[in-house]
Amino acid sequence: MKRNKFRLLGIGLTLIVASAIFLYACNKKFLDAQPFGQYGSEAVKNKKGVEALLVGVYGVLDGQGVAGDPWETSAVNWGTAGVAADDAYKGTDANDQPQMTEVEQYQSQPANRYFYNKWLAVYEGVSRANDLIRLAGDPEVTDITDEERNNFIAQARFLRAHYHFDAKRMWNNVPFISDTATTYNNATDIWPDIETDFKFAYDNLPEIQSEVGKVNKWAAACYLAKAYMFQKKFTEAKALYDQIVLNGKTSKGEKYGLQDAYWKNFDPAYDNNKEGVFTIISAASGTVDGSGERSLGLAFPYGGDFGCCGFFQPSQNLVNAYKTDATGLPLFTTFNDVDLKNDQGVADGAPYQNDKVTPLDPRLDWSVGRRGIYYWDWGPHPGVSWIRDQNYAGPFSPKKHIFSKKEENVLTSSGWRNITAKDIYIIRYADVLLMAAEAEIEVGSLETARGYVNQVRTRAKDPISWVRAVPGDLTSPLADANYKIDTYNSQWTDKDAARTAVRFERRLELAQEGHRFFDLVRWGIAAETLNTYLAKEKLKRTYKQTASFTKGKNEYFPIPSAIIDLAAKYGSHLDQNPGY
């Protein structure tokens, strides 16, 4: 199994990496933004020192080992934005991780440790990026060429923009901390600063990098376009997407494209593929827990083959969204009227048969584990024995990030089983195509938008996406489902209908990958969508009886009170978000 060159923590880096990080970066509090013009050791003022610090900037992408537990700092944000959306319940049982229950019920508190540790993680990334920018720009570092220096700085500015972007969509009112900052506040919108960093990266990064996993020009273009989309700068975004679709390449130089089978995006055997635009490359080892992806470690089926922990269970609403009409298109307004049959309350071993009549989008069974359907190569999902408390959080299990049985002995060690070598996508090409479709709807061509969406649906429609085509790995999941999906085969002439189609497609394609809540917020429909969701959920999940999404407040999370206090201690000022 591969080992990630860019993971800092837990895999035993060389002495130069350790000395660079400890002498130059990690000995300061993240909020102490005094510029560091003097380095702790002359040993880092060379190319090896710059490369070592760059490892550190990439190394905190997944948040592991920075602060708190890895699931609190996850780049997928599943314990916060994930359970705040309509795609997933917190899962497990009523008494487990009450901080996550706060989020699910839209009752988040500024003292919640999830927000505190996530803030530490993203601004540690910012701090390390700033350290790298200062060191790479130091004229005393003489053993690198101008081209290499520019490449190092451009990568660091891309990553600094990423960390700020993650903070911006979580809290909105956040500080931008540059490599020259001495104090800071959150009174100014930081979108222009994020754009500037991504633009610099786009203008200065090469199209192809020497090592897989390093960001390139086209990853910067995709992320800059995404930043435009969050600001509704559709004209600017469309212009970039036109170039990306025509010329975009992976860091290996392969032209961007969709994997031929949907499930291959979630099998580590197909990592570093042409669909990966910007990914956190995970590694695995039979002896070192820290080398694998652990930030989703709680979000595995409970008991049975996995042992722990039963979080991040897909919602019935998400499952219902995969129903289609007789032509294979989504049921935009009626999908949640009647629940797709499930095994709620059915004991292990008791007779049970899934609905084999209702037409379904096959992506359902690569996104959700449900009884009787093959769960990778573990055999059919057994039902209640893999669920911690069905009455509390329903009968479904997450699936995309779960390792297969063939990987079990490779990935597990020291008693902790829930480690995966699967890459974590920050941006994959399907995401790019669907955002490009949004931009086309607003300022371009509805027909071009339809073409982008149909590329995604054509891949899902291909039977290779219905069956994992690796001999001996998996029996076909077709036996218990009536898969029916098709493309949009008539012209789109109405913008509102086109928007509905694209937004629904993003939910189906990208379920539980860290996008849904942020999409609802940027579209401006979070309150109406989530309160409609809650109205029906309260009939199923009694703990949601007091849940209500407050418009103008719950679109963003509370800034941690301890962070506000710490900022004041170091001469800066942060205001709390409205409503908290």
Side-chain angles (χ1 to χ4, degrees), residues 154-233:
Q155 288 182 72
R157 290 188 67 172
F158 175 104
L159 294 167
R160 182 172 71 180
H162 159 72
Y163 292 121
H164 279 114
F165 181 97
D166 202 13
K168 174 69 175 173
R169 63 182 185 168
M170 285 281 293
W171 294 287
N172 191 35
N173 298 311
V174 295
F176 185 90
I177 301 180
S178 73
D179 51 296
T180 60
T182 57
T183 60
Y184 44 86
N185 61 64
N186 62 346
T188 303
D189 186 3
I190 70 167
W191 278 126
D193 301 294
I194 293 172
E195 284 185 21
T196 298
D197 270 355
F198 280 136
K199 285 177 182 175
F200 182 91
Y202 177 55
D203 291 337
N204 290 277
L205 284 171
E207 291 198 11
I208 301 173
Q209 290 281 18
S210 59
E211 295 172 284
V212 173
K214 286 186 174 180
V215 295
N216 69 348
K217 176 184 183 70
W218 295 108
C222 291
Y223 222 147
L224 176 58
K226 185 171 185 173
Y228 286 147
M229 293 298 291
F230 268 71
Q231 300 171 79
K232 296 182 169 54
K233 293 184 175 181

Side-chain angles (χ1 to χ4, degrees), residues 42 44-48 50 135-146 148-149:
E42 292 299 311
V44 302
K45 288 190 177 182
N46 50 52
K47 184 176 179 179
K48 285 186 177 180
V50 174
L135 180 60
D138 191 328
E140 294 185 28
V141 179
T142 59
D143 61 340
I144 58 176
T145 67
D146 289 343
E148 289 172 331
R149 192 187 306 273

Side-chain angles (χ1 to χ4, degrees), residues 22 32 59 93 97 101 146 246 294 305 330 339 349 351 387 433 450 465 538 553 569:
F22 282 102
D32 187 358
D93 61 33
Q97 295 287 327
T101 303
D146 289 343
L246 186 64
R294 296 184 298 144
D305 295 294
D339 289 343
I387 306 295
L433 285 174
R450 185 170 71 97
S465 287
K538 290 175 181 180
K553 172 185 176 180
K569 178 180 177 181

Side-chain angles (χ1 to χ4, degrees), residues 83-85 89 100-108 527 530-539 541-550 554:
V83 301
Y89 309 128
M100 207 184 297
T101 303
E102 281 182 13
V103 177
E104 188 177 11
Q105 294 181 324
Y106 307 107
Q107 297 170 359
S108 296
L530 294 173
N531 281 324
T532 298
Y533 161 72
L534 287 171
K536 190 158 188 180
E537 286 300 311
K538 290 175 181 180
L539 305 176
R541 315 262 80 86
T542 57
Y543 71 92
K544 288 183 178 283
Q545 290 294 320
T546 59
S548 178
F549 188 101
T550 301
N554 293 125

